[in-house]
Amino acid sequence: MSGAGGTADFFYREAQRLGYVARSAFKLIQIQKQHKLIAPGAAVLDLGCAPGAWLQVACQNLGPLEKGGVIVGVDVKERGFSVILSDMCPVVSGITTKDAAISCELGMRALSLAVGKMKAKDSDCIAILEKFQSSTEPDPDEDGILRRGGSLVIKFLENEDIPGYDQQ
């Protein structure tokens, strides 16, 4: 943002003049000029989006609203999430045991993202969920993005081979 003496540099002042929230906007502007990555109607995911300068530039390159482009920005440094939804589903093969296992893996990835690294075996989906449900305090070593007291919804495919499965 500033030079060695603490004074605002050219790019910082130019970003302010043009309404960008950070000078980093010019990095993406240069990339866009050279490579034309963001086309009208593109779907863009900006990871680590705070303070939002790249989101601003990406929005400018999406084109008219009728093209249907979308930009999603995620930055957990600024804030965690109070609700995380996971409706992930594998491409269904028709082999229920396989499909349920892949569904479980996707769900576990969502859980891990939400609450951080789990200390149980990833292969035992039920044990991990039971451990998570019985835990009231987060592990201090975990680095999840779900806020304390937040909600997590995960969809799992049903499988009659799972112990305790009861079709009602």
Side-chain angles (χ1 to χ4, degrees), residues 77-143:
K77 178 180 176 189
E78 294 295 315
R79 69 194 63 80
F81 296 93
S82 44
V83 178
I84 298 175
L85 305 173
S86 173
D87 191 28
M88 294 187 288
C89 183
V91 177
V92 179
S93 69
I95 305 168
T96 57
T97 305
K98 175 184 175 185
D99 294 340
I102 296 170
S103 173
C104 183
E105 176 61 28
L106 290 171
M108 293 314 304
R109 289 181 186 214
L111 179 61
S112 181
L113 178 67
V115 300
K117 295 178 180 73
M118 302 301 292
K119 298 252 189 313
K121 294 186 299 185
D122 285 332
S123 61
D124 191 353
C125 188
I126 295 173
I128 292 171
L129 291 173
E130 287 173 353
K131 173 184 164 93
F132 175 68
Q133 290 171 340
S134 66
S135 174
T136 56
E137 290 298 315
D139 186 323
D141 296 330
E142 292 176 357
D143 55 356

Side-chain angles (χ1 to χ4, degrees), residues 9-159:
D9 67 17
F10 168 78
F11 289 105
Y12 175 79
R13 290 189 309 274
E14 191 65 3
Q16 285 190 318
R17 184 182 75 78
L18 295 173
Y20 292 116
V21 295
R23 66 194 300 273
S24 61
F26 297 111
K27 295 174 188 174
L28 186 56
I29 290 171
Q30 184 63 35
I31 292 169
Q32 183 65 13
K33 281 182 183 175
Q34 288 180 329
H35 302 287
K36 306 270 189 252
L37 298 176
I38 304 168
V44 179
L45 174 61
D46 183 1
L47 301 175
C49 68
W54 281 26
L55 289 172
Q56 289 177 298
V57 173
C59 285
Q60 293 169 350
N61 288 278
L62 276 186
L65 191 58
E66 303 83 53
K67 293 281 186 177
V70 64
I71 298 177
V72 175
V74 178
D75 195 313
V76 298
K77 178 180 176 189
E78 294 295 315
R79 69 194 63 80
F81 296 93
S82 44
V83 178
I84 298 175
L85 305 173
S86 173
D87 191 28
M88 294 187 288
C89 183
V91 177
V92 179
S93 69
I95 305 168
T96 57
T97 305
K98 175 184 175 185
D99 294 340
I102 296 170
S103 173
C104 183
E105 176 61 28
L106 290 171
M108 293 314 304
R109 289 181 186 214
L111 179 61
S112 181
L113 178 67
V115 300
K117 295 178 180 73
M118 302 301 292
K119 298 252 189 313
K121 294 186 299 185
D122 285 332
S123 61
D124 191 353
C125 188
I126 295 173
I128 292 171
L129 291 173
E130 287 173 353
K131 173 184 164 93
F132 175 68
Q133 290 171 340
S134 66
S135 174
T136 56
E137 290 298 315
D139 186 323
D141 296 330
E142 292 176 357
D143 55 356
I145 61 172
L146 183 64
R147 289 181 186 165
R148 180 183 292 274
S151 300
L152 172 63
V153 177
I154 302 174
K155 174 181 76 180
F156 290 98
L157 294 179
E158 295 180 336
N159 180 359

